[in-house]
Amino acid sequence: MLALLGGCGTDGGNTATADNPSSGTQLAVVATTPEVADFVRNVGGGDVAVTQIIKPNVDPHDYEPTPADIQAIGTARVVVKNGVGLEEWLERTIESAGFKGAVVDSSQGVTLREGGHAHEEGEEAGEEHADGEEEHDPHIWHDPRNAKIMVANIEKALATAAPARAAAFARNAADYTAKLDKLDADNEAAFAKIPVQRRKLVTNHDAFGYYVDRYKIEFVGSVIPSLDTSAELSARQLNDLVARIKSTGTTAIFTESSLPPKSAEAIAQQAGVKVIGGEDALYGDSLGADGTPQGTYLGAEQHNTQVITSALAG
């Protein structure tokens, strides 16, 4: 892979071969998160070589780049990120790598949620940054309509980097966008079968805001009262969450694949509800292991909807 990336480096001498489909040289692309990497693979097909920085079930909020990450970025033509502040480490890593190619923010054009549900409820977490700017929810991919925007941004960037392959990228993007439309329709149909009063969600952290808004679910609260995973519940917040779970008739707490379930299990015991975890843990920040159905965006989102609707249906 490193040899391949080296052959598609940022120096101008390689530009012609990277843009020439007949040369057999793939376009070297670095993607930050599992979700973004999956989108790039689907749009790029065999014309791109994707290096994925954050591996499955790794928390992106606390990620620390490695020397291998810096080397991969330094030899890439394009870097694709999720954006919305999810990759706070990326800018300094790009500087360290001496990267001179295109940085693609796949979130461009997405309507962002301000703050998290904790912020909306007036709790301590999810408020303003120290610089006074409003915090936005970075988990944009949980609404398939946003995923379509991300895919369109990626297609445009790849076509700019390799114009001779633009038609192939456009075909791939159109095929994948149709799959995203089907995912969205299937999700809507699944939740339509759940009575409104049973559509209540408690998760490890506040990662499902776009999903909740899209499918008209009531977000009761999260074990970690924050958009990222660094906060902890205060005693008051813990008691408030337990009280909300009981008063709303919530039946379960859903754990997430990239976070330990211990705190969720303790709160569930106190609230007298079940914990959905293990193989049924939701994919909040990550995708499943490579080679599994949940290792793709479509598979992970289908898994989330199946698990949530099955539990809410009782």
Side-chain angles (χ1 to χ4, degrees), residues 80-102:
V80 184
K81 65 178 181 177
N82 179 83
V84 204
L86 187 64
E87 304 100 335
E88 294 182 355
W89 48 270
L90 183 60
E91 189 171 338
R92 65 180 182 272
T93 307
I94 284 174
E95 290 178 4
S96 298
F99 177 73
K100 303 298 182 185

Side-chain angles (χ1 to χ4, degrees), residues 6-277:
C8 303
T10 57
D11 63 285
N14 288 322
T15 302
T17 47
D19 290 348
N20 180 3
S22 63
S23 72
T25 305
Q26 293 173 300
L27 181 71
V29 180
V30 166
T32 54
T33 68
E35 296 83 9
V36 169
D38 192 44
F39 295 155
V40 175
R41 291 188 192 102
N42 277 281
V43 175
D47 288 318
V48 299
V50 183
T51 300
Q52 177 181 318
I53 298 292
I54 300 176
K55 300 302 183 279
N57 289 324
V58 173
D59 183 355
H61 299 284
D62 292 332
Y63 189 73
E64 291 291 337
T66 67
D69 298 335
I70 296 173
Q71 184 174 2
I73 288 172
T75 54
R77 290 280 309 286
V78 179
V79 171
V80 184
K81 65 178 181 177
N82 179 83
V84 204
L86 187 64
E87 304 100 335
E88 294 182 355
W89 48 270
L90 183 60
E91 189 171 338
R92 65 180 182 272
T93 307
I94 284 174
E95 290 178 4
S96 298
F99 177 73
K100 303 298 182 185
V103 178
V104 182
D105 184 346
S106 65
S107 72
Q108 288 297 313
V110 171
T111 301
L112 302 178
R113 298 180 64 254
E114 289 192 356
H117 288 95
H119 176 75
E120 292 163 8
E121 293 163 9
E123 295 181 359
E124 296 168 11
E127 298 184 353
E128 291 183 347
H129 285 300
D131 59 10
E133 290 186 6
E134 182 70 49
E135 183 177 19
H136 289 103
D137 186 346
H139 306 89
I140 54 177
W141 63 89
H142 284 304
D143 183 337
R145 298 173 303 180
N146 292 342
K148 288 170 61 176
I149 295 173
M150 298 169 79
V151 165
N153 289 332
I154 290 166
E155 180 209 341
K156 181 179 178 181
L158 296 185
T160 299
R165 307 178 191 187
F169 297 147
R171 285 194 301 271
N172 295 343
D175 290 345
Y176 190 65
T177 296
K179 295 177 181 178
L180 294 174
D181 284 334
K182 184 178 187 303
L183 171 70
D184 191 30
D186 289 347
N187 286 351
E188 277 200 297
F191 279 104
K193 298 175 183 176
I194 308 298
V196 173
Q197 64 271 20
R198 291 188 66 90
R199 297 182 203 167
K200 303 180 192 299
L201 192 67
V202 178
T203 56
N204 264 122
H205 83 298
D206 194 357
F208 290 89
Y210 295 94
Y211 186 90
V212 163
D213 291 349
R214 176 68 183 113
Y215 303 114
K216 300 178 176 59
I217 306 165
E218 179 184 350
F219 186 76
V220 176
S222 56
V223 175
I224 300 171
S226 176
L227 292 170
D228 64 27
T229 55
S230 61
E232 292 184 7
L233 280 174
S234 66
R236 178 182 65 81
Q237 289 172 319
L238 190 153
N239 291 333
D240 286 350
L241 177 57
V242 170
R244 280 201 305 277
I245 291 171
K246 291 180 176 179
S247 67
T248 56
T250 301
T251 57
I253 296 178
F254 295 86
T255 63
E256 295 173 43
S257 65
S258 58
L259 294 171
K262 192 172 181 180
S263 296
E265 291 166 351
I267 291 173
Q269 185 174 7
Q270 190 170 342
V273 299
K274 61 186 175 183
V275 172
I276 308 296

